[in-house]
Amino acid sequence: MRMSVKPKGKIGIIFLIAAIVVGIIVTYSTGFAHSRSAVRIGYIGNNGWDNWSGRYDRLDGKMRRVLHFDPGEEITVETTTSSGTLSIEIQDTTGNIIFSKSNMETALHNVTVNGKVVITITADDHSGSFKIE
C-alpha cells in the first residue's frame, strides 16, 4: 500500500512553518525575546518591557534586547565594573546610534530616547552589573 502526501497537507505544513517564522520575528521585534551569544556565570537579571538589568560574576559575549519607552523620555544607563570590559550601544528604530560607550567603568549616564530602542551589550570577561531603565 503506497501512501502519498496530498497537496492540502503540503500547504498546511508550509502555512505552519510560515506562522512559526512570523511568530519568532514578532517576538524579537516587540522585545518579548532577546538574542544572546554570551557566557553568563552567576547571572541574575531582570528583563522588562522598559528596563533591563543584570548582575553577574562573569559575562563574556554579546546580548541584544529591544526596550520600549515614551518619546522624549530620559533613561539611565548604570554600570559597575569590578574587572574586564563592558560596552553598551543604544540604537533608535532607524538604526542611528544614540549612545555608545566602550570599556565602561562604574558610572551613570542619562540618555534621551524617542520610543523603542535596540540595546547591545558586549562584554569581555566582565564582572559587575548593568541597569537600563
Side-chain angles (χ1 to χ4, degrees):
M1 182 184 263
R2 274 180 69 184
M3 296 185 68
S4 62
V5 177
K6 297 178 183 178
K8 186 176 181 181
K10 288 180 184 178
I11 292 171
I13 291 171
I14 291 170
F15 178 77
L16 179 62
I17 291 170
I20 291 170
V21 169
V22 168
I24 290 169
I25 291 169
V26 168
T27 306
Y28 276 95
S29 66
T30 58
F32 285 115
H34 58 277
S35 65
R36 151 177 74 109
S37 60
V39 173
R40 303 184 313 178
I41 298 174
Y43 184 92
I44 299 171
N46 180 29
N47 301 329
W49 179 259
D50 61 355
N51 61 71
W52 185 20
S53 64
R55 185 171 37 100
Y56 42 84
D57 295 325
R58 180 174 182 248
L59 180 64
D60 193 68
K62 187 178 281 192
M63 300 188 304
R64 178 173 286 140
R65 184 160 172 74
V66 176
L67 295 181
H68 302 266
F69 300 101
D70 294 328
E73 185 173 348
E74 186 173 271
I75 65 170
T76 58
V77 177
E78 184 177 352
T79 57
T80 58
T81 297
S82 298
S83 64
T85 60
L86 182 73
S87 301
I88 297 179
E89 181 180 276
I90 302 175
Q91 292 182 337
D92 63 15
T93 55
T94 59
N96 295 319
I97 297 172
I98 56 176
F99 177 84
S100 181
K101 295 281 184 196
S102 298
N103 201 15
M104 297 180 76
E105 297 294 326
T106 300
L108 178 69
H109 301 277
N110 294 318
V111 181
T112 301
V113 298
N114 283 317
K116 182 170 77 169
V117 295
V118 177
I119 300 172
T120 303
I121 295 175
T122 306
D124 185 13
D125 202 24
H126 188 256
S127 176
S129 66
F130 66 89
K131 184 179 193 181
I132 302 163
E133 58 183 10

